[in-house]
Amino acid sequence: MTEQTTSAEQAEPTAEQQHFEHLISEDSRVEPRDWMPEAYRKSLTRQVSQHAHSEIIGMQPEANWITRAPSLKRKAVLMAKVQDEAGHGLYLYSAAETLGTPRSVLNEQLLSGKAKYSSIFNYPARTWADMGAIGWLVDGAAICNQVPLCRASYGPYGRAMVRICKEESFHQRQGWEILYELSHGTEAQKQMAQDAVNRFYGPALQMFGPPDADSPNSQQSMQWNIKRFSNDELRQRFVDMIVPQAEALGLTLPDPDLKWNEARGHYDYGQLDWNEFMSVIKGSGPCNVQRMKRRREAHANGAWVREAAEAYAQRQARQAAEAEAATSSPEAGVEIDETTVVAGRGSAELIGARA
Ligand SMILES: [Fe+2]
Ligand SMILES: [Fe+2]
């Protein structure tokens, strides 16, 4: 093959590449069975797994308050919410796995500190009112970010987001309701609610990521129809949403520059502390060390569950293989050895990862 032929072939997109481009231009879904550029697969694997890690680490600040919830009803609601977050993590790890990276690898990336998770979960939950502020602001920001992701071009991610967003709406509502009750309670309760909002407002706005000018990957992500709106557009949408909600709560937002801009038809808001954001992302937030330590402990404590699940899966596979052999050739007396079982499981995993 000559060099000229090679470059001519490279210039002409393959049928698979054309199919991918067609799916994107039609605003259709890319499924695990479809060919996709390696950069698309890599970018999505990073985004979906970071999202999964955030759901799992995000259980910690609220789980700390389950035993201290002020009533049985509050305890039950908070437990349900924390369990929802675990479920979100599981949907998202499954979606990430369809891109070809096993969950054990994704998990290792989190435990080793190689993978990031949302910076917001590195802040402490100091009072019961923080359960309200987290629900209202953190889950509220998550909804703004995630509703457009329901239309993400990658099918398993978009479909996971549909279910997750429904649950996030409930989370935001329960947070709002906690704050409403506190802000209409005693003066001390109202102050506790205001203090929680003061602490979570800035970090919640930072959940949308750095300003557009400092977010170089966003544009590619938008061209692939993964992201639909820029970080700043989503942040603006969130600010516009929470200002009237704060008024309804009888609380203020801690930003002296926050005011309605008639010309823009949006609220203007002040500069956020991006140095603090970068420092938290890099591991120096108030709770980074504590969150990772707790996650590693939980993973180690769960080793027996993984071992039991693995032993059960092996037994099931062996029994299925024996039953299959008995039905297909009863006279042959096929001997099922460990190699057959392992090969069978390997194939099943591959199908699971690509189908
Ligand atoms: Fe969630
Ligand atoms: Fe949530």
Side-chain angles (χ1 to χ4, degrees):
M1 191 181 286
T2 64
E3 251 183 58
Q4 285 88 336
T5 323
T6 311
S7 18
E9 278 175 359
Q10 277 172 352
E12 188 65 33
T14 63
E16 285 173 324
Q17 286 169 331
Q18 283 176 356
H19 179 63
F20 175 81
E21 291 304 331
H22 176 73
L23 290 175
I24 298 295
S25 66
E26 292 280 293
D27 204 0
S28 190
R29 296 275 207 204
V30 177
E31 296 298 339
R33 63 174 176 269
D34 296 321
W35 179 90
M36 61 190 85
E38 267 319 294
Y40 177 88
R41 186 186 297 280
K42 210 172 147 189
S43 170
L44 263 170
T45 302
R46 195 189 60 236
Q47 179 171 342
V48 180
S49 61
Q50 281 184 5
H51 194 160
H53 301 328
S54 302
E55 301 282 358
I56 297 296
I57 297 283
M59 295 165 70
Q60 292 187 35
E62 291 172 289
N64 284 339
W65 278 91
I66 291 175
T67 55
R68 293 176 285 172
S71 70
L72 185 60
K73 184 186 144 206
R74 294 287 186 201
K75 193 190 291 276
V77 172
L78 187 60
M79 267 192 332
K81 194 212 165 193
V82 173
Q83 283 175 345
D84 282 353
E85 306 301 4
H88 298 174
L90 298 186
Y91 303 150
L92 290 165
Y93 280 127
S94 298
E97 279 192 303
T98 65
L99 290 156
T101 308
R103 181 164 163 193
S104 55
V105 173
L106 302 173
N107 200 42
E108 188 45 42
Q109 290 170 349
L110 172 66
L111 297 179
S112 68
K114 193 178 157 214
K116 303 281 178 229
Y117 56 86
S118 181
S119 59
I120 190 79
F121 301 119
N122 291 311
Y123 290 87
R126 293 207 174 102
T127 67
W128 171 251
D130 287 18
M131 298 304 95
I134 291 175
W136 178 47
L137 294 172
V138 177
D139 291 275
I143 293 170
C144 277
N145 223 348
Q146 292 170 10
V147 165
L149 288 173
C150 295
R151 294 190 291 126
S153 57
Y154 189 57
Y157 191 31
R159 288 189 288 273
M161 293 318 306
V162 172
R163 181 156 177 190
I164 289 173
C165 281
K166 286 182 185 162
E167 293 178 347
E168 297 298 0
S169 303
F170 153 71
H171 298 170
Q172 193 200 20
R173 180 70 200 181
Q174 66 91 34
W176 196 88
E177 204 262 333
I178 289 173
L179 287 179
Y180 188 88
E181 195 162 310
L182 290 173
S183 69
H184 291 79
T186 64
E187 202 39 53
Q189 285 172 327
K190 184 170 183 177
Q191 192 46 50
M192 185 166 72
Q194 184 62 60
D195 172 64
V197 169
N198 290 350
R199 282 182 288 111
F200 278 94
Y201 171 80
L205 260 62
Q206 291 177 330
M207 285 173 67
F208 298 94
D212 293 348
D214 302 326
S215 180
N217 296 332
S218 284
Q219 212 174 352
Q220 176 63 78
S221 189
M222 286 171 80
Q223 281 167 3
W224 280 328
N225 294 343
I226 299 170
K227 219 172 145 76
R228 301 285 173 160
F229 302 97
S230 77
N231 296 355
D232 287 333
E233 282 171 329
L234 290 168
R235 192 168 7 253
Q236 181 70 65
R237 188 179 283 199
F238 179 62
V239 170
D240 291 347
M241 183 182 84
I242 61 171
V243 170
Q245 291 181 355
E247 281 165 15
L249 283 170
L251 298 172
T252 57
L253 295 171
D255 180 357
D257 297 325
L258 194 62
K259 58 176 178 301
W260 178 250
N261 182 324
E262 193 63 49
R264 289 200 313 122
H266 292 289
Y267 284 94
D268 289 336
Y269 56 93
Q271 272 293 326
L272 296 165
D273 187 347
W274 293 110
N275 289 333
E276 176 186 312
F277 176 77
M278 288 316 296
S279 137
V280 176
I281 288 280
K282 284 179 184 154
S284 307
C287 297
N288 296 58
V289 173
Q290 179 187 330
R291 299 287 185 244
M292 287 310 300
K293 182 171 177 283
R294 179 75 195 95
R295 179 88 285 276
R296 288 191 193 105
E297 282 168 4
H299 185 71
N301 291 340
W304 70 273
V305 180
R306 290 188 295 280
E307 283 159 19
E310 179 63 21
Y312 181 74
Q314 282 190 16
R315 197 181 69 191
Q316 293 288 96
R318 197 178 304 119
Q319 285 173 349
E322 281 166 4
E324 169 85 20
T327 342
S328 55
S329 56
E331 309 84 0
V334 178
E335 220 172 88
I336 304 299
D337 63 16
E338 208 53 31
T339 327
T340 321
V341 175
V342 169
R345 285 181 53 240
S347 316
E349 277 162 19
L350 195 66
I351 293 161
R354 303 282 177 186

